């Protein structure tokens, strides 16, 4: 996976306010008991500039998931689309509120009724705040950062996406920790409700690539209890990296993937602070940890030359890290919505055998699953093919067409 970091220009910023200013009323849903549905009365433009993401305070008492602290217009939205970066509140763990950053894209054309929402869950981006998707350009190296974004917007959908906790804003990133990222993702549906200009419906389809596959699977698991006011109509996975323990064990067999393993550990430790790096990494490998702060993927090349990067038994059954990763993986699909899966057969990052396990689990839960393989395509190449096919699948879900189900196929 590659990350080309380009800092897009931003034109000023917006503070969302309930009335003339951001107040405690906004953070309590403007007095509405169903605060997640409360519309925001208006926007106030302020000159935040590059300090937009410098949020050091925690949400105040009474803040609710989906409350918006501030929003800043993007200048790289497609023609006929308005877009903002946002800082919003998420309940990233039960009872723990945090500010998270994300993006919202809204077609400017008039809609006949409420616009349905597409929720994008991003792939591995790096751990440094500058690597957060909202801090980068919409198009990188000639490719849309969020696959099929323009095509989905052209169909009239609102598209929202989260950076996930700790990526983009101060604090530890919960990389591959699963549930915290899924909570932050689902809370972007609540953010969309508060953009009156979006006229967002409560129906959504979500999709994710790589790490975003884990986020999507976790979101399907918790949606009925965490965000019951919304109706999920489908989910699509592109080369999904779902079960972190098996993925880590797979990566530990290749020295070239040492950087991936090393970058995974801080996210799991963010969720389980009692974990210690020295129980997993050798001293030579631990010297690579500072590299995580110097670039989005620098650790990939820097750590590739480390020999014997792992302590014997680092991920043996019963070890501290084994127990933590097992806990992250301890969830099952609910079977509440149809799934589309795009998998490259040349993928060594998320091997087909692991993706097929998720297919089996989804089918066992009763979900209609349309699993599609692409010979010769690796972890990245499959995304381009999936992006061409996804918009029609999403449209079918919103239009109520029957989902293809090949669960009985080999």
């Amino acid at each position: 996976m590659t990350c080309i970091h380009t800092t897009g220009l931003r034109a000023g910023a917006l503070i969302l306010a309930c009335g003339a200013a951001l107040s405690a009323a906004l953070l309590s849903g403007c007095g509405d008991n169903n605060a997640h549905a409360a519309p925001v009365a208006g926007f106030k433009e302020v000159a935040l500039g590059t300090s937009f993401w410098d949020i050091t305070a925690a949400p105040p008492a009474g803040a609710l998931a989906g409350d918006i602290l501030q929003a800043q217009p993007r200048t790289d939205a497609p023609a006929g689309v308005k877009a903002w970066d946002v800082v919003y509140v998420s309940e990233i763990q039960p009872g723990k509120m945090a500010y998270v950053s994300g993006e919202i894209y809204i077609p400017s054309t008039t809609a006949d009724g409420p616009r349905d929402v597409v929720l994008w869950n991003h792939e591995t981006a790096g751990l440094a705040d500058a690597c957060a998707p909202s801090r980068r350009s919409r198009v990188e190296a000639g490719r849309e950062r969020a696959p099929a974004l323009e095509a989905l917007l052209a169909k009239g959908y609102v598209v929202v996406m989260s950076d996930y906790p700790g990526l983009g804003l101060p604090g530890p990133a919960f990389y591959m920790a699963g549930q915290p990222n899924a909570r932050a993702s689902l809370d972007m549906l609540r953010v969309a409700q508060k953009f009156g200009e979006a006229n967002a419906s409560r129906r959504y389809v979500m999709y994710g690539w790589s790490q975003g596959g884990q986020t999507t699977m976790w979101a399907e698991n918790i949606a009925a209890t965490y965000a019951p006011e919304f109706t999920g109509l489908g989910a699509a996975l592109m080369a999904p990296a779902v079960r972190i323990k098996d993925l880590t064990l797979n990566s530990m067999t290749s020295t070239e993937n040492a950087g991936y393993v090393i970058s995974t550990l801080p996210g799991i430790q963010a969720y389980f602070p009692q974990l210690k790096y020295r129980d997993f990494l050798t001293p030579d490998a631990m010297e690579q940890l500072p590299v995580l702060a110097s670039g989005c993927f620098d650790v990939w090349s820097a750590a590739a030359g480390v020999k014997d990067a792992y302590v014997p038994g680092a991920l043996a059954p019963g070890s501290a890290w084994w127990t933590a990763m097992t806990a992250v993986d301890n969830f099952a699909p609910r079977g509440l919505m149809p799934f589309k899966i795009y998998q490259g057969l040349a993928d060594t990052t998320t091997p087909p055998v692991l993706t097929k396990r998720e297919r089996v689990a989804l089918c066992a839960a009763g979900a209609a699953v349309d699993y599609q393989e692409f010979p010769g395509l690796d972890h990245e190449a499959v995304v381009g093919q999936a992006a061409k096919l996804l918009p029609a699948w999403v449209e079918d879900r919103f239009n109520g067409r029957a989902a293809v189900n090949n669960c009985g196929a080999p």
Side-chain angles (χ1 to χ4, degrees), residues 87-217:
V87 175
Y88 65 100
V89 177
S90 178
E91 188 178 4
I92 63 172
Q93 297 180 50
K96 181 178 180 179
M97 299 294 187
Y99 285 124
V100 181
S101 53
E103 302 164 71
I104 182 169
Y105 293 78
I106 303 171
S108 301
T109 55
T110 302
D112 294 334
R115 297 183 185 275
D116 290 322
V117 181
V118 177
L119 178 59
W120 161 244
N121 294 316
H122 72 76
E123 76 287 3
T124 297
L127 272 68
D129 286 339
C131 304
S134 69
R135 293 198 180 200
R136 293 154 44 196
S137 295
R138 180 180 62 84
V139 177
E140 299 176 337
R143 187 176 71 180
E144 285 187 291
R145 171 168 44 80
L149 175 61
E150 284 198 59
L152 293 166
L153 290 165
K155 290 183 178 294
Y157 307 130
V158 174
V159 181
V160 296
M161 55 198 78
S162 174
D163 287 334
Y164 309 151
L167 186 58
L169 299 181
F174 286 74
Y175 176 53
M176 293 304 299
Q179 186 172 173
N181 301 323
R183 286 168 168 260
S185 177
L186 290 169
D187 284 331
M188 279 300 302
L189 299 174
R190 291 165 172 153
V191 169
Q193 290 291 310
K194 298 190 177 187
F195 272 77
E197 193 168 357
N199 190 24
S201 81
R202 294 181 181 273
R203 307 195 312 165
Y204 70 97
V205 170
M206 57 182 165
Y207 70 120
W209 169 33
S210 195
Q211 181 196 9
Q214 184 198 58
T215 304
T216 300
M217 290 283 285

Side-chain angles (χ1 to χ4, degrees), residues 6 53-54 64 81 90 99 107 165 203 227 276 294 307 318 334 364 382 404 406:
T6 53
W53 289 272
D54 296 340
L64 296 175
V81 174
S90 178
Y99 285 124
R203 307 195 312 165
K276 297 178 173 58
S294 63
K307 296 181 180 179
R334 297 291 181 89
V382 73
V404 173
N406 57 22

Side-chain angles (χ1 to χ4, degrees), residues 313-360:
L315 206 49
S319 70
W321 286 92
W322 185 91
T323 300
M325 291 188 184
T326 298
V328 172
D329 292 338
N330 187 25
F331 73 100
R334 297 291 181 89
L336 300 179
M337 60 184 72
F339 270 73
K340 173 71 181 185
I341 303 176
Y342 307 93
Q343 177 65 42
L345 291 182
D347 192 337
T348 58
T349 304
T350 59
V353 64
L354 297 184
T355 301
K356 287 180 179 179
R357 282 193 212 170
E358 300 308 321
R359 176 197 187 190
V360 169

